[in-house]
Amino acid sequence: MIGRRLLTLWAASVTLAAYAATAGLGGATPDVAVERPLSSADLAALKQKFRRPAATPFPKGNPFTEEKAALGKSLFFDPRLSRSGSVSCATCHNPSLGWSDGLGKAVGFEMKPLARRTPPVRNLAWGAAFQWDGRADTLEMQARMPITAPDEMNMTMDLVVERLKAAPGYGPMFQRAFGGDDPISARTITAALATFQRTLVSREAPFDRWIAGDETAIGPDARRGFELFNGKARCAACHSSWRFTDDSFHDIGLTATADLGRGKFAPPSVVAMRNAFKTPSLRDLRMQGPYGHDGQLKDLGAVIEHYAKGGEKRESLSFEMKPVELSDRERRELVAFLDSIRAEPAAVELPQLP
Amino acid sequence: MTFPTLRHVAFAGLLLFSAAPALAAEIEIPIHHTEVADIGVTPKVGDTLTFVNHADIAHNLYLTFEDGTVQTLDTQPPGTTKRTTLAREGHVIVRCWIHPIIRMEFDVSDK
């Protein structure tokens, strides 16, 4: 009898546990952004989320050295890394054009247009995923991709190594950067390129001075734009942190093409990744455009209109894409805010190639 | 009527704990913005993980098991939950298709 009672108690406890677990399922309370004027305390807390970091991070496996960064810079500007010998990383990632090329679509091997726009390469030291589709987990992995892509620089890493070994002057540079008897290799080339790219960091913008306490650093339009950006317009749902990106991937409802973006690498069941591309940083935006992963949006007016409409409705459309009504004034304020996160570009001294 | 002795009770208890399956636990893991909370315990095979999205953005988590098996949970809008029952032991990495910055790891014990 007591045994039966014990069994009954056990069954009841299982039932209760299952009920408790089930009851908990519907209990999630989203941390929903509230649309109301920010109190000074809320604004101060919000500003902290966009404060610049004090130092640039470098991975333990590829720490910063001056020698490695200098070598990486030479490699970045060296056209011998391409099969034609005429295209360097800097051909598309041109420092005079914000480390991009100003084109809607990049131009690849034999001047053929590529499917996507050239992304700027600033602030990648903080990146969580690289390439528009995130197929590179590290900058070291990324560095190899355009060099070896047949439709881009169309090289093999073996041929790059061969060319650099044949160039007088590279041997000592690699020696200083990496040591060893035979330091020129695919690994050291990509390590140097990644190190140089990590040194490309946006300079202090007016917005940063405002965040640091200078109330006069940005105007009232930019301040209202900042609140819109974080509130009604919900831009900060993805364009968050001091880089104004969380490196997330979304289908923002642009006109779909054969390019599935991250959907090419995700299982077919992950519908949200079809037509999904990386959220770009908004720092140091070239205000004249074009925008979008493939340059579909010609200017900032088109970008804001696209987000106001909410993008093309389809199964993969990001959950974050919701239509929003924005007045002309609010649009101007958003643009004023974007202008406030632009810094004077750093002077770039071109390397003398070995 | 015969009252049970201590020996009867002990025998009944032994029967109960040998016959009943080990109770599977349900472990709730909150998500805030792009942070999946640490699991805090070592779950067992058969335990159920319940991911609760408290963020105001959607997530799409996937679990990679030590043997390379990948289990993808569906898109998880704000305020919703996704559950998965752990089918194998070993190291597990939780990531998000939408937010590669998300990474949480834990080990699953066999019992």
Side-chain angles (χ1 to χ4, degrees):
Chain A
M1 189 181 195
I2 285 182
R4 195 176 299 157
R5 271 188 195 159
L6 280 168
L7 278 169
T8 307
L9 278 172
W10 172 76
S13 68
V14 170
T15 309
L16 275 172
Y19 172 76
T22 310
L25 292 184
T29 309
D31 309 328
V32 177
V34 179
E35 288 171 28
R36 57 179 162 74
L38 289 175
S39 69
S40 55
D42 286 345
L43 181 60
L46 184 60
K47 286 165 79 173
Q48 288 306 309
K49 294 182 178 178
F50 294 89
R51 185 175 282 276
R52 293 173 65 99
T56 304
F58 288 85
K60 284 180 187 168
N62 188 20
F64 174 82
T65 65
E66 293 284 355
E67 294 79 6
K68 212 189 293 178
L71 171 62
K73 185 176 182 180
S74 281
L75 295 170
F76 194 86
F77 283 88
D78 196 330
R80 283 169 288 191
L81 269 63
S82 64
R83 185 169 296 275
S84 67
S86 63
V87 175
S88 71
C89 306
T91 303
C92 295
H93 301 285
N94 184 340
S96 299
L97 294 166
W99 298 95
S100 184
D101 53 18
L103 301 171
K105 287 188 172 74
V107 176
F109 186 65
E110 295 183 330
M111 297 303 289
K112 288 180 186 155
L114 299 175
R116 300 173 185 172
R117 186 167 65 85
T118 301
V121 290
R122 285 194 198 92
N123 309 320
L124 295 182
W126 290 265
F130 304 92
Q131 305 281 30
W132 279 111
D133 50 28
R135 66 186 187 277
D137 287 336
T138 66
L139 267 180
E140 286 75 6
M141 285 172 66
Q142 183 280 331
R144 170 188 295 252
M145 290 175 175
I147 297 172
T148 57
D151 56 352
E152 296 187 44
M153 295 163 84
N154 193 22
M155 277 291 264
T156 65
M157 290 311 291
D158 286 346
L159 189 49
V160 175
V161 169
E162 190 180 304
R163 283 193 187 172
L164 297 182
K165 282 184 175 176
Y170 263 126
M173 290 181 78
F174 274 90
Q175 183 69 39
R176 284 194 293 276
F178 295 101
D181 295 332
D182 188 17
I184 302 180
S185 68
R187 183 188 68 78
T188 54
I189 290 165
T190 53
L193 280 166
T195 299
F196 170 64
Q197 288 190 81
R198 289 190 178 100
T199 67
L200 303 177
V201 179
S202 289
R203 299 176 77 204
E204 192 178 85
F207 173 81
D208 298 311
R209 293 193 283 281
W210 181 61
I211 292 289
D214 178 357
E215 289 300 318
T216 65
I218 65 173
D221 277 4
R223 284 187 226 179
R224 281 193 295 271
F226 175 64
E227 293 200 20
L228 277 169
F229 188 88
N230 285 281
K232 180 181 175 183
R234 294 189 79 246
C235 314
C238 306
H239 293 283
S240 57
S241 89
W242 81 278
R243 290 187 300 133
F244 298 94
T245 176
D246 59 3
D247 287 331
S248 57
F249 293 83
H250 300 274
D251 172 7
I252 61 166
L254 293 169
T255 301
T257 67
D259 185 357
L260 281 181
R262 195 161 171 77
K264 185 175 173 186
F265 305 98
S269 62
V270 187
V271 176
M273 289 300 95
R274 284 183 213 152
N275 312 299
F277 296 87
K278 194 167 81 168
T279 305
S281 170
L282 299 180
R283 271 200 182 256
D284 296 324
L285 213 54
R286 272 174 58 77
M287 301 300 272
Q288 60 269 55
Y291 304 105
H293 69 277
D294 59 359
Q296 281 187 39
L297 302 169
K298 301 301 177 203
D299 53 39
L300 276 179
V303 172
I304 294 175
E305 179 63 12
H306 174 78
Y307 282 104
K309 285 184 173 168
E312 194 177 302
K313 304 289 176 288
R314 54 187 175 231
E315 197 183 4
S316 57
L317 182 68
S318 170
F319 179 85
E320 320 308 337
M321 292 296 292
K322 295 187 175 85
V324 58
E325 275 190 34
L326 293 168
S327 67
D328 288 348
R329 177 178 175 163
E330 288 171 326
R331 292 172 193 233
R332 282 197 304 274
E333 290 167 348
L334 281 170
V335 172
F337 166 66
L338 292 172
D339 196 36
S340 79
I341 56 177
R342 298 173 68 227
E344 280 297 311
V348 178
E349 190 179 336
L350 296 178
Q352 295 302 309
L353 300 180
Chain B
M1 187 173 178
T2 310
F3 289 96
T5 63
L6 262 179
R7 187 182 294 177
H8 286 120
V9 173
F11 182 67
L14 188 67
L15 268 181
L16 171 67
F17 289 108
S18 58
L23 284 180
E26 179 120 16
I27 301 163
E28 188 170 299
I29 303 171
I31 310 169
H32 290 282
H33 199 66
T34 52
E35 286 179 19
V36 176
D38 272 336
I39 195 163
V41 296
T42 301
K44 303 183 299 294
V45 171
D47 286 353
T48 298
L49 305 185
T50 303
F51 294 94
V52 186
N53 187 6
H54 293 282
D56 63 351
I57 54 176
H59 292 291
N60 201 139
L61 300 180
Y62 64 99
L63 288 73
T64 305
F65 293 85
E66 201 168 307
D67 63 1
T69 309
V70 175
Q71 184 185 7
T72 294
L73 309 182
D74 199 5
T75 301
Q76 186 171 355
T80 63
T81 63
K82 288 289 169 188
R83 305 175 77 201
T84 182
T85 299
L86 298 166
R88 52 182 69 76
E89 64 180 304
H91 194 65
V92 180
I93 301 173
V94 180
R95 302 205 69 183
C96 175
W97 278 110
I98 300 171
H99 304 96
I101 199 169
I102 287 179
R103 188 181 179 99
M104 193 268 275
E105 301 182 36
F106 61 90
D107 291 300
V108 181
S109 67
D110 59 344
K111 54 186 172 181

